[in-house]
């Protein structure tokens, strides 16, 4: 039955409405705010990801142009000046992306590009600083962390800071990266003049590769140069030839198999 001003419970109902009405309205507003806030966050988050992805795509294109031009040893003066300008612009674009989207995978990828460019120009100290920034990005992926750490240690070694390189390389990493880690430790010990430790680390790396039926010619040469003859490893036969376009360079072990001797090339 509908209440009227003359109904027995009308006063009580109106009093209850006055007392609790504000709470009801507040609850409704909070619910609406939460809904629209969540919707806004989803839309904005997706928009931010798109912006970061577009920004990184531009960086990737410019990096390809710079890398291609750098391979030409016969650039004329004008082309060399253009290359310097492109490198400068590439670094500016990478720095801007890192500032705006510093915790994203795109920032990590951009920093790896920057470090690669710096290594190619023998700027090992600068590359170490760049990789240190990349190492600070928490992507929640142990593999990417291992790749970054090993590259960081490698550039420290190339810069001549063997103690810092040893400290950076001596960290727990996923088992799939242990062979690369042991080889790098061998390089560091060798640079420090610790031949016995270098041989031990190289042997460790070789045995880890043996368990996977993989071989590395460069590692074998390092061992032979120290008088340690590695036992041949019969590589596992591959039934399917992997397509170059199907490789995933960011996550696979092969992405860090370039140790100090290869980085300085």
């Amino acid at each position: 039955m509908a209440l009227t001003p003359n109904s027995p419970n009308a006063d009580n109902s109106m009093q209850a409405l006055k007392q609790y009405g504000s709470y009801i309205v507040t609850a409704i507003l909070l619910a609406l705010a939460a809904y629209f806030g969540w919707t806004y966050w989803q839309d904005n988050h997706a928009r931010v990801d798109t912006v970061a992805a577009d920004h990184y795509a531009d960086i990737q294109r410019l990096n390809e142009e710079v890398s291609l031009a750098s391979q030409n040893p016969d650039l004329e003066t004008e082309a060399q000046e253009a290359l310097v300008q492109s490198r400068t612009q590439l670094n500016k674009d990478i720095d801007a992306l890192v500032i705006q989207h510093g915790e994203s995978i795109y920032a990590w990828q951009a920093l790896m590009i920057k470090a690669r460019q710096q290594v190619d120009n023998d700027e090992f100290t600068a590359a170490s600083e760049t990789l240190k920034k990349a190492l600070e990005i928490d992507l929640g992926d142990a593999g990417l962390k291992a790749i970054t750490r090993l590259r960081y240690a490698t550039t420290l070694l190339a810069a001549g800071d063997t103690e810092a390189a040893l400290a950076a390389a001596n960290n727990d990493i996923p088992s799939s990266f242990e062979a690369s880690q042991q080889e790098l430790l061998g390089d560091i010990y060798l640079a420090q003049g610790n031949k016995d430790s270098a041989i031990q680390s190289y042997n460790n790396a070789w045995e880890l590769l043996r368990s996977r039926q993989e071989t590395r010619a460069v590692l074998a040469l390092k061992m032979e140069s120290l008088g340690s003859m590695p036992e041949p490893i019969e590589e596992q036969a591959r039934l399917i030839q992997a397509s170059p376009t199907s490789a995933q360079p960011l996550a696979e072990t092969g992405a860090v198999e370039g140790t100090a001797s290869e980085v300085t090339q």
Side-chain angles (χ1 to χ4, degrees):
M1 179 179 71
L3 291 175
T4 66
N6 295 323
S7 301
N9 296 326
D11 291 340
N12 292 338
S13 298
M14 292 300 295
Q15 185 176 356
L17 183 59
K18 290 178 181 180
Q19 182 177 354
Y20 298 109
S22 61
Y23 296 105
I24 295 172
V25 172
T26 300
I28 293 172
L29 289 176
L30 287 174
L32 290 173
Y35 171 75
F36 287 113
W38 171 248
T39 302
Y40 171 81
W41 184 90
Q42 284 185 311
D43 292 343
N44 187 61
H45 186 68
R47 195 156 49 244
V48 168
D49 282 350
T50 301
V51 171
D54 291 343
H55 195 162
Y56 175 72
D58 292 338
I59 289 172
Q60 208 170 23
R61 281 192 291 270
L62 183 55
N63 176 59
E64 290 173 357
E65 293 175 6
V66 168
S67 298
L68 185 61
S70 300
Q71 294 173 11
N72 186 353
D74 301 320
L75 290 178
E76 296 181 356
T77 302
E78 185 176 346
Q80 290 177 350
E81 292 175 353
L83 177 58
V84 171
Q85 292 177 356
S86 294
R87 280 178 177 155
T88 301
Q89 186 61 51
L90 177 62
N91 287 333
K92 286 182 179 180
D93 290 348
I94 290 173
D95 292 341
L97 174 60
V98 173
I99 290 173
Q100 297 168 13
H101 309 285
E103 296 302 315
S104 69
I105 183 65
Y106 302 108
W108 181 87
Q109 290 174 304
L111 287 170
M112 300 304 275
I113 286 177
K114 185 176 182 179
R116 180 75 261 176
Q117 288 286 342
Q118 290 167 329
V119 166
D120 288 343
N121 288 284
D122 296 335
E123 300 169 0
F124 301 116
T125 300
S128 297
E129 290 300 316
T130 298
L131 289 166
K132 186 177 180 180
K133 290 181 182 179
L135 197 57
E136 293 169 355
I137 300 176
D138 184 10
L139 298 174
D141 187 295
L144 296 184
K145 194 84 168 179
I147 290 172
T148 313
R149 184 174 298 282
L150 293 178
R151 288 185 178 177
Y152 174 54
T154 299
T155 54
L156 287 170
L157 174 58
D161 194 345
T162 58
E163 290 297 328
L166 185 60
N170 259 328
N171 280 272
D172 292 336
I173 61 175
S175 59
S176 57
F177 295 91
E178 287 180 354
S180 294
Q181 180 189 41
Q182 288 297 318
E183 183 178 353
L184 176 56
L185 287 172
D187 294 343
I188 296 170
Y189 288 131
L190 188 60
Q192 292 179 332
N194 191 342
K195 180 179 176 181
D196 291 340
S197 293
I199 291 174
Q200 183 61 56
S201 293
Y202 287 151
N203 285 335
N204 292 342
W206 194 259
E207 290 308 310
L208 287 166
L209 291 172
R210 180 187 303 284
S211 66
R212 304 201 305 241
Q213 291 185 278
E214 296 179 19
T215 187
R216 292 182 191 172
V218 174
L219 175 57
L221 290 174
K222 292 176 184 178
M223 296 173 70
E224 290 172 4
S225 70
L226 296 177
S228 176
M229 300 303 294
E231 185 178 345
I233 299 174
E234 185 177 348
E235 290 192 77
Q236 185 176 13
R238 297 184 180 181
L239 298 179
I240 301 176
Q241 181 65 37
S243 169
T245 59
S246 65
Q248 300 296 326
L250 294 181
E252 61 188 11
T253 308
V256 294
E257 290 186 353
T259 49
S261 60
E262 293 169 295
V263 166
T264 54
Q265 289 179 355

